[in-house]
Amino acid sequence: MSIENHTLGFPRIGLYRELKKAQENYWSGKNPREDLLAVGRELRNRHWQQQKNAGIDILPVGDFAWYDHVLTTSLMLGNVPSRHQNKDGSVDIDTLFRMGRGCAPTGESASACEMTKWFNTNYHYIVPEFNKYQKFKLSWTQLLDETKEALSLGHTVKPILLGPISYLWLGKVKGKPFDRLSLLKEILPIYKQVLSEIKKYDIEWVQIDEPVLSLELLTSWREAFEFTYDFLKSDIKILLTTYFDSINQNLDVIKGLCVQGLHVDIVHGKDDIYRINEQLPQEWLLSVGIINGRNIWRSDLKKCFERLYPLTKLRTKLWISSSCSLLHSPIDVNIENNLEHEVKNWFSFALQKCTELKLLKEALNNNDLNVILDWSKPIQTRVHSPIVHNEKVNQRLRDIKSSDTNRTNSYSKRSELQRKRFGLPIWPTTTIGSFPQTTEIRSFRRDFKEGKINYQTYCTGIAKQIKQVILEQEQLGLDVLVHGEPERNDMVEYFGEHLDGIIFTQHGWVQSYGSRCVKPPIIIGDISRPKAITVEWIKYAQSITCKPVKGMLTGPLTMLFWSFPREDINYETIAKQIALALRDEIADLEKAGIGIIQIDEPALREGLPLHESDWPTYLTWAVNTFRLVAGIAQDSTQIHTHMCYCEFNDIISSIAALDADVITIETARSHMDLLDAFTEFEYPNAIGPGVYDIHSPNVPSIQCIENLLRKAAKSIYKERLWVNPDCGLKTRNWIETRQALSNMVQAARNLRKETI
């Protein structure tokens, strides 16, 4: 038997974020559509060739997306909401952009589709919308076109489809409730049609992703798999692909399906691969996801070899692969020139992971460890590196007391003190933190980082920006102000740069959604805070206004889950190290006179294990970690937190257990539907439901905001409601921002008049 290797997908944005730049140039009207399409074509061709050159046998097709691969699937199925449709019923790339952004260079603007997290990752997808009587048809042939494109270049390829059951599971019903699984019989003929078209290209394998098989599914969803894959049976071989967690709970379903192969993630899933091998039909291909697609650490290939080699004697058809798509990894560590040599050798980005698959394949095929020993040495020696370990940090963890996680008094008593301290009106208005990150601000920070301006010039410039933001907010009439964060590149990166134990890359970009890319910090060792991080700029902002200014912190869970974490200690330990650092920051902010402090935790929900049975353990330590940060705050200090783009219903009791005085949440794209969770649970503290979608350039009207707030007031006592956008404003321009906030403030004032 000869083992082959493949990847489940490759990053689509380009080494220098070429896709992002092409998208934004097209959206702004700077470049024509043809230029955008040309950039996409160049990136696909480059990425296929790079993987091939790195030693990948079977290349993925269908992993490229203009915005998001779930949205691509919606277009393929003709699932386009009426508000986004072209007048002639056609589907084009602007249809896709209107669904994702709410607007495009052509067509009428309309509210964008909802966006939420892709399972337990920091990647966002556009949520499919379903209604009971909608029809589907093959409307977008991107996968077929790109398959033909790859074949014309001489590549051996494996087209990728998001599976029909996972697609339905990821969507939402709009309008009259019904079981969206009932739409399965409507979309399966389109999947069948696509497979038939692919077969015309003489393709042997198609990868159909069904990541929901990593969940603990209801019986109806489990039972749908047999019908689905019986229907999709054809001459083309199907590699049923799972990832992100174990599948043992669904193995009894999987092994009876009419497919020819199974991919299993044995990095994040804790299944016994040998037990799975015994359960599967012997004629099936088994693909083993052994190289971590979601983290940047170099693999210990010797351990991988020892884990897999006995399997080569038991299965006649065996592939090795990344655990999941490499979408979640940066592209190439070799262009990182600012990393210490020792540290750089610890890392493996997408192209290096392809090399790992090549080396491991050679070792397994030849039963020869020599080809992988040198590769594994850096990660083995890291275990004893002084860069990694800090005993003072670990001693402080051991000294944590249960009382450290509690505020002195309950919310009801704290809120009385806070009302007296701040004297805010009913329907108080605020924003989530950041204001537009203009080209001027970005260039200014870059000039300082590159040594083109000195520290004094930098401080003078940042102070000028903060003063402008404060004056803008005062003129708009906001009640609680923010300093606008001109000194911050990213809400996680900024804090990571000021903590020991965390490092950064120059080009380690990862797509978050659409054209939005992030450069996650890398947690390489024990974390501590050498000095105060935010105090001076917040104190300055407060000195130039009589209105309260919020101190802005990124919470420990978000710092953890939006970074590339260590793999030698558990997540709870890392999170609590960060929590202790932020706890000290809150103490310093209070000493500086700051009375309102926001601890952003948008990642609380995405940290949930995919198996619901594992939730209680996670939620217990996650809640305690947040409370460890906030527990030091005085009763008169108002603690806010912010969450966005997730389903709250399942964890509402844990959100309440955070005991934040005010929680601000994203509700605009769902038209306040997400607020239902806080209603049914009778959430006890104050809430700021986002009244407009900052990820769309569309400016909400006063009437629209009023309507949303009235809807919110039916669920939450108006005395506990705040008025705010659904997220930070860094991605918007000032024209949009001023108009939207002006409308928001006026809507709040109108409602106050109604209340009097």
Side-chain angles (χ1 to χ4, degrees), residues 708-727:
L708 288 175
L709 288 172
R710 288 191 181 97
K711 185 175 181 181
K714 293 178 181 178
S715 303
I716 307 294
Y717 292 117
K718 58 181 178 294
E719 290 80 11
R720 292 196 284 113
L721 279 170
W722 284 62
V723 182
N724 47 262
D726 65 12
C727 208

Side-chain angles (χ1 to χ4, degrees), residues 147-202:
T147 299
K148 185 177 179 181
E149 180 184 334
L151 291 173
S152 72
L153 296 170
H155 298 310
T156 301
V157 301
K158 166 180 52 73
I160 302 171
L161 282 161
L162 175 61
I165 297 177
S166 291
Y167 176 76
L168 290 173
W169 188 90
L170 292 165
K172 276 190 174 182
V173 170
K174 296 294 180 178
K176 187 176 180 180
F178 74 102
D179 181 5
R180 62 191 185 277
L181 193 55
S182 66
L183 296 175
L184 185 60
K185 63 182 181 299
E186 304 295 334
I187 67 172
L188 283 180
I190 301 168
Y191 274 89
K192 184 90 167 184
Q193 183 181 355
V194 171
L195 291 176
S196 297
E197 292 297 320
I198 291 173
K199 184 59 183 175
K200 293 177 182 178
Y201 298 128
D202 200 27

Side-chain angles (χ1 to χ4, degrees), residues 86-98:
N86 291 325
K87 291 181 180 179
D88 62 2
S90 64
V91 171
D92 60 14
I93 197 168
D94 281 2
T95 310
L96 182 150
F97 290 142
R98 288 195 297 274

